[in-house]
Amino acid sequence: MRVLTDRNKVDAVVLDLDGTLLNSDKKVSNRNLDSIIEIHKLGIPIIIATARPPRTVKEFLPKELHEVAIIVFYNGALIINNPLQLNEHYSIDSTINQQIIEYLITNEPEHLFSIEVNDTWYSYKDIDYRSFTKVSENPEIIEIVEIKLKSPTKILVSNLKNIEDFTKKFGDKLEVINTDSNQLTQIMRLGISKESAIANLAERLEFSLEKTMVFGDDFNDLGLFKLCGIPIAMDNSIDELKSIAKEITTSNDEDGVANILEKFFN
């Protein structure tokens, strides 16, 4: 099905970052940037919904977008917008964090575990995470006793041998999403997701979810595609997103976001 080319049918635009707005060099192209700024000038809210923390979003996102966008971090666990005085944080209870660590030590000896607490990254293993997380930093190393006491904004686990068992064990207590071709397991508080954040913002800002256009490429965008009325999948998206998208645009390396916005808004 093709998207209706009627700007009055759109109340808000939601954009994922990695694999969507960011190209393979982790940059926003000038064309994508210009198209988003033009949409903002029409009075349409621009929302960035990402799994990333504030510090790396600041690193990759141009200043112009920081100034105009509402940003949802950590798959919905942190929502920030200074003009709207939004700063909402949803953390995981330290007791559940401790249960996960103990399970991993017993059942997944080769696991890689780290947590985000607000905007600080911690681990109890001294490993170079940069090679597989595509960031320019490593987490702060602290004692396992100390890390068990933390209430994480988000938990990150890699090198799981049995993802199914892990998900079965904690899936009823937490939001567990496997992304990056099952290389990374992302964990948030139960009920917290990109879609819960967008539903929250839609109620506050009084925009229609049915008239919300969303761009995405990976499993953590599935809920958004089901929630919003105008889901747009990137050409590099997983098949599960493509199958429920209203339209499939070009890849994140081919200005897929701009191609749709320019066509839709003339």
Side-chain angles (χ1 to χ4, degrees):
M1 179 160 51
R2 307 294 287 179
V3 174
L4 298 173
T5 53
D6 180 354
R7 71 174 65 179
N8 295 321
K9 296 295 183 183
V10 176
D11 274 6
V13 173
V14 180
L15 299 150
D16 171 52
L17 284 185
D18 295 272
T20 301
L21 182 58
L22 296 179
N23 60 25
S24 296
D25 294 326
K26 300 301 176 189
K27 296 184 182 300
V28 178
S29 72
N30 289 333
R31 186 180 167 203
N32 276 343
L33 176 60
D34 290 344
S35 67
I36 294 167
I37 295 300
E38 288 303 312
I39 301 309
H40 173 71
K41 288 177 182 176
L42 295 174
I44 295 172
I46 302 298
I47 304 168
I48 304 292
T50 178
R52 286 185 174 275
R55 62 186 181 279
T56 63
V57 172
K58 186 177 181 181
E59 179 183 347
F60 295 129
L61 206 62
K63 180 184 176 184
E64 296 94 323
L65 290 187
H66 271 285
E67 291 174 349
V68 303
I70 300 167
I71 306 183
V72 173
F73 303 97
Y74 298 123
N75 290 324
L78 182 65
I79 307 172
I80 293 178
N81 181 267
N82 292 329
L84 295 174
Q85 296 184 318
L86 279 175
N87 192 325
E88 300 187 2
H89 182 218
Y90 305 93
S91 60
I92 298 166
D93 189 271
S94 60
T95 304
I96 301 179
N97 179 40
Q98 183 172 334
Q99 290 171 8
I100 290 174
I101 294 171
E102 290 171 354
Y103 173 89
L104 292 172
I105 290 171
T106 303
N107 299 282
E108 295 277 0
E110 295 180 23
H111 72 275
L112 298 178
F113 175 94
S114 62
I115 63 172
E116 294 276 1
V117 182
N118 247 325
D119 197 21
T120 305
W121 191 18
Y122 299 102
S123 181
Y124 50 73
K125 289 188 176 183
D126 190 7
I127 296 167
D128 188 358
Y129 285 75
R130 292 172 296 185
S131 59
F132 62 89
T133 56
K134 300 176 184 175
V135 294
S136 57
E137 60 177 339
N138 274 320
E140 179 183 335
I141 306 303
I142 60 176
E143 295 295 327
I144 192 168
V145 175
E146 187 180 352
I147 211 167
K148 282 182 177 181
L149 298 176
K150 301 282 187 185
S151 295
T153 310
K154 178 179 167 184
I155 297 173
L156 299 164
V157 186
S158 297
N159 273 16
L160 288 179
K161 298 300 181 187
N162 198 326
I163 293 175
E164 236 176 70
D165 281 0
F166 181 86
T167 304
K168 187 177 179 181
K169 173 77 173 174
F170 294 103
D172 62 339
K173 300 176 183 177
L174 298 159
E175 297 294 332
V176 180
I177 304 173
N178 298 303
T179 61
D180 299 82
S181 302
N182 282 340
Q183 297 299 306
L184 179 65
T185 299
Q186 305 184 42
I187 303 161
M188 286 72 58
R189 192 165 98 182
L190 190 65
I192 297 302
S193 60
K194 286 187 179 183
E195 58 269 27
S196 71
I198 300 307
N200 177 357
L201 289 171
E203 187 174 343
R204 285 168 176 253
L205 303 181
E206 299 183 335
F207 63 79
S208 165
L209 290 169
E210 186 59 32
K211 295 181 181 180
T212 296
M213 179 181 284
V214 57
F215 293 81
D217 73 295
D218 209 342
F219 283 104
N220 58 341
D221 300 314
L222 267 173
L224 277 179
F225 270 47
K226 294 173 183 176
L227 178 73
C228 299
I230 314 173
I232 310 293
M234 312 302 291
D235 187 56
N236 51 286
S237 294
I238 58 171
D239 290 339
E240 288 84 346
L241 285 183
K242 289 181 177 179
S243 69
I244 60 174
K246 285 284 181 70
E247 188 159 342
I248 299 171
T249 186
T250 52
S251 77
N252 63 317
D253 287 324
E254 299 170 298
D255 294 332
V257 169
N259 281 331
I260 290 291
L261 295 181
E262 289 169 3
K263 179 176 71 173
F264 198 89
F265 295 94
N266 223 4

